[in-house]
Amino acid sequence: MTAIASENSEVTVLLVDDNPQNLKVLYETLKDKGYRLLIANEGAKALDLAHRHRPEVILLDIMMPEMDGYEVCERLKNDPVTADCAVVFLSALDDLASKVKGFSLGGADYISKPFQSQEVIARVDTHAKVIRLERELQARNRELVSDQARILNSISEGIYGLDENGVIEFANQAAAMIVNCPVEDLIGKNFFDLHFATASDSDACLPVMGTCRQGVAEHQRDIQLKRVDGAAFPAEYRATPKLDNDELHGAVVVFRDITVELNNERALDEARTLVQEQRDQLAHTSRLTTMGEMAAGFAHEVNQPLTAIANYARVSGRVMAKEDPDLSLLHETMEKIEAQSHRASEIIRRIRRFMKKPATGKEILAVPMLLEDTRQFAEVDMRNNEGGIEVVFEDDLPDVVADPVQVQQVALNFIRNALEATRAAGSSAPVEVTARRCGQKCVRVQVRDHGVGVAEDAEDKLFHPFFTTKEDGMGIGLATCRSLIQAQGGEIGYERPEGAGACFYFTLPVAGAGAGADACAAE
């Protein structure tokens, strides 16, 4: 006999007994208790019903022909579909050995025949509630596991869960994609043997080993890992100890393939190097252009001492041609020749220093000396523009760290522009070059003139490439100046002064004050 005796959506109870009378009694006992009752009078049919309906409770007679209750119970527990059912044995066998055997096979309870109705009801009710709660809990656990799996599989970084020996207990889909191996094949493999060629020789210093064995968190970048096919790839990983009540149980490793990232970084570095080379070349070209503009003035500057030397040489010759030469006059003349030679040499030295390409490294510079050197270099422009230059600096001005050639180029550019603007305005006021400390980390150099000034709509574009306010300008001078000062870690800018004229400034990092690419940014 196989039957569904009553319907109830909450709890299903399967009654199994080869004795029809017993089945009837059980049915009568439970029929009005709100259960969905299934009935079977032999083991095979009981297994079939149990597999199809997954009853919460099975009241199972032990002594049955062909297949006894023990075998039915054993097969129920071996079937994943029915393994969680609560099997309550019904038997007249009341000895201890029979009960122990029943429990050893997975039985949940034991009711002796002849059974009492109230006892059957109470035990079925108890086991039904337990099984329902267990199934709800299992469903909830499966839901949580599923949620966790979805979350972990949605992460683009590979994730491993390792035991203390490095055996992979968990891997997400990203990890499988990175190492070219299905998740199910990764589970059980040893992380160190899988990813490190030297793991079989020595595992003492392998990445993640310290996390697995000592619980030390790790983070490393550009580590070479192996894929399953043996190909290596650069990776970044974070390893976190897996702890349970302070007891170490391995590590969680989050890693990613950074091949593309490293390639991009190398390309970016190459691009930066190329840009810097182009900037240096542009700055050098700008200096050559400046020298070309100043060539006539410098030719005049050098020609003066050379002419004087020639004249003094002729005087010396005439003195020496006399029968009684005036040695005192000859000595004085020779000293003048030497002085004019030094003057010519100094002019040429300044030209050569300005013309040379900047050194690869920065130097510690005294700003007053650098500005005075620049002022002397600008004397040609000063005379051509019939102007003046006044250099003022604070006492105890700290040294700065910068490339002297590049800084001098910027200062000279500002001063020449200021002299030209002053002449265009017909002013006789000298160009003011000042240097003062600006905060704790910077020295500010400022060039202020009383010339024609800068139009308001041009202020924001002054340092843009190819923007110029001069009719014959190319618009690369101030743009080059900005590039040069930024390379020193300083800032450059323009301020509209009170009254007429213009004020350009730049800052340089103080030596020993944490100079860097943005040393003056916070000043």
Side-chain angles (χ1 to χ4, degrees):
M1 178 175 61
T2 302
I4 299 178
S6 65
E7 293 293 338
N8 184 287
S9 60
E10 293 297 325
V11 176
T12 300
V13 179
L14 173 60
L15 310 177
V16 186
D17 200 312
D18 63 326
N19 187 323
Q21 185 60 35
N22 286 342
L23 284 176
K24 181 179 179 181
V25 173
L26 288 172
Y27 175 78
E28 293 296 331
T29 300
L30 298 172
K31 70 175 182 179
D32 298 326
K33 304 305 177 187
Y35 301 126
R36 179 191 186 209
L37 298 177
L38 307 178
I39 296 173
N41 62 350
E42 58 181 37
K45 294 175 181 177
L47 291 173
D48 178 63
L49 282 175
H51 189 84
R52 289 190 286 123
H53 297 282
R54 291 194 68 206
E56 279 74 12
V57 181
I58 301 175
L59 296 181
L60 179 60
D61 184 26
I62 293 178
M63 301 303 293
M64 293 188 297
E66 299 183 1
M67 184 186 300
D68 62 18
Y70 294 133
E71 184 177 350
V72 173
C73 179
E74 187 174 17
R75 294 175 66 171
L76 286 170
K77 295 302 174 182
N78 289 333
D79 184 347
V81 176
T82 58
D84 65 342
C85 299
V87 177
V88 178
F89 287 112
L90 302 171
S91 179
L93 301 176
D94 199 23
D95 59 288
L96 180 60
S98 299
K99 293 181 179 178
V100 170
K101 182 178 180 180
F103 288 128
S104 67
L105 294 173
D109 206 347
Y110 193 96
I111 298 176
S112 300
K113 292 181 179 179
F115 44 76
Q116 300 296 318
S117 298
Q118 294 302 316
E119 180 185 9
V120 172
I121 294 171
R123 297 202 181 198
V124 169
D125 185 59
T126 299
H127 289 294
K129 289 179 180 177
V130 170
I131 294 301
R132 294 298 295 177
L133 290 175
E134 287 181 351
R135 289 183 175 178
E136 289 176 2
L137 183 60
Q138 290 171 358
R140 182 57 183 159
N141 286 339
R142 285 194 295 272
E143 187 177 335
L144 290 174
V145 170
S146 179
D147 288 344
Q148 291 175 350
R150 279 196 295 272
I151 292 172
L152 292 173
N153 287 333
S154 67
I155 297 174
S156 60
E157 295 173 310
I159 300 177
Y160 283 145
L162 309 180
D163 69 8
E164 59 275 16
N165 296 315
V167 175
I168 299 174
E169 298 177 323
F170 169 83
N172 68 348
Q173 287 295 334
M177 292 180 64
I178 292 173
V179 301
N180 289 335
C181 181
V183 170
E184 54 271 22
D185 292 346
L186 288 174
I187 306 301
K189 290 186 182 298
N190 186 279
F191 171 81
F192 304 105
D193 294 335
L194 177 64
H195 289 303
F196 299 99
T198 60
S200 57
D201 302 329
S202 172
D203 60 5
C205 300
L206 291 176
V208 187
M209 186 64 75
T211 309
C212 284
R213 295 186 176 175
Q214 285 87 41
V216 180
E218 294 181 14
H219 174 211
Q220 292 196 58
R221 190 170 186 271
D222 200 5
I223 296 296
Q224 290 294 312
L225 298 182
K226 280 196 315 173
R227 303 186 203 277
V228 171
D229 59 5
F233 67 98
E236 179 179 13
Y237 78 89
R238 291 181 184 276
T240 306
K242 195 166 60 176
L243 300 173
D244 184 9
N245 294 326
D246 296 330
E247 184 178 352
L248 183 62
H249 291 277
V252 175
V253 182
V254 180
F255 68 103
R256 62 193 179 94
D257 184 346
I258 59 172
T259 302
V260 175
E261 189 174 312
L262 291 180
N263 289 338
N264 290 339
E265 289 178 359
R266 281 192 287 271
L268 182 60
D269 288 341
E270 291 173 359
R272 284 173 174 164
T273 301
L274 179 60
V275 169
Q276 187 57 48
E277 290 175 354
Q278 292 174 341
R279 283 177 175 171
D280 293 343
Q281 186 61 39
L282 181 61
H284 187 62
T285 302
S286 178
R287 283 197 296 279
L288 295 179
T289 302
T290 301
M291 288 304 304
E293 294 171 351
M294 300 172 70
F298 277 115
H300 178 70
E301 286 288 303
V302 176
N303 190 52
Q304 281 186 333
L306 292 179
T307 301
I309 290 171
N311 291 334
Y312 288 135
R314 281 195 292 272
V315 170
S316 298
R318 286 197 294 271
V319 171
M320 294 177 65
K322 293 181 179 178
E323 292 183 0
D324 185 16
D326 184 346
L327 295 180
S328 176
L329 177 59
L330 181 61
H331 179 73
E332 182 181 344
T333 305
M334 295 300 290
E335 286 182 340
K336 290 180 179 177
I337 290 175
E338 181 183 8
Q340 292 300 323
S341 298
H342 284 305
R343 180 186 171 191
S345 175
E346 178 62 21
I347 294 171
I348 294 172
R349 183 188 65 79
R350 289 206 301 267
I351 294 173
R352 292 183 61 184
R353 192 169 60 187
F354 185 79
M355 291 283 288
K356 73 176 183 180
K357 286 192 173 183
T360 54
K362 299 175 183 176
E363 302 174 13
I364 296 177
L365 306 174
V367 176
M369 186 178 299
L370 186 72
L371 294 181
E372 176 57 26
D373 198 34
T374 307
R375 187 194 66 77
Q376 293 178 10
F377 200 72
E379 284 182 348
V380 174
D381 279 287
M382 185 177 67
R383 282 192 289 273
N384 289 342
N385 290 286
E386 299 176 348
I389 302 173
E390 184 177 272
V391 179
V392 179
F393 45 82
E394 286 182 346
D395 295 334
D396 302 324
L397 196 64
D399 291 341
V400 298
V401 179
D403 184 306
V405 176
Q406 294 185 344
V407 174
Q408 190 179 52
Q409 181 176 349
V410 176
L412 181 62
N413 195 312
F414 282 2
I415 291 172
R416 294 188 71 215
N417 289 343
L419 288 169
E420 292 174 0
T422 301
R423 182 184 183 185
S427 173
S428 60
V431 172
E432 300 166 7
V433 181
T434 59
R436 61 180 174 81
R437 185 153 187 158
C438 180
Q440 296 298 314
K441 295 183 178 180
C442 291
V443 168
R444 170 171 163 143
V445 177
Q446 176 178 300
V447 179
R448 194 252 201 262
D449 64 61
H450 297 272
V452 295
V454 176
E456 290 186 3
D457 60 354
E459 288 185 13
D460 295 337
K461 299 178 284 187
L462 283 173
F463 295 96
H464 290 187
F466 309 114
F467 175 81
T468 181
T469 59
K470 300 178 181 178
E471 293 183 359
D472 56 348
M474 296 176 61
I476 62 172
L478 291 180
T480 302
C481 289
R482 182 175 65 174
S483 175
L484 295 177
I485 291 301
Q486 288 177 341
Q488 314 305 314
E491 288 190 329
I492 194 168
Y494 165 81
E495 290 179 350
R496 180 174 296 279
E498 293 183 3
C503 178
F504 288 85
Y505 69 90
F506 61 86
T507 61
L508 297 172
V510 171
D518 299 318
C520 299
E523 296 291 343

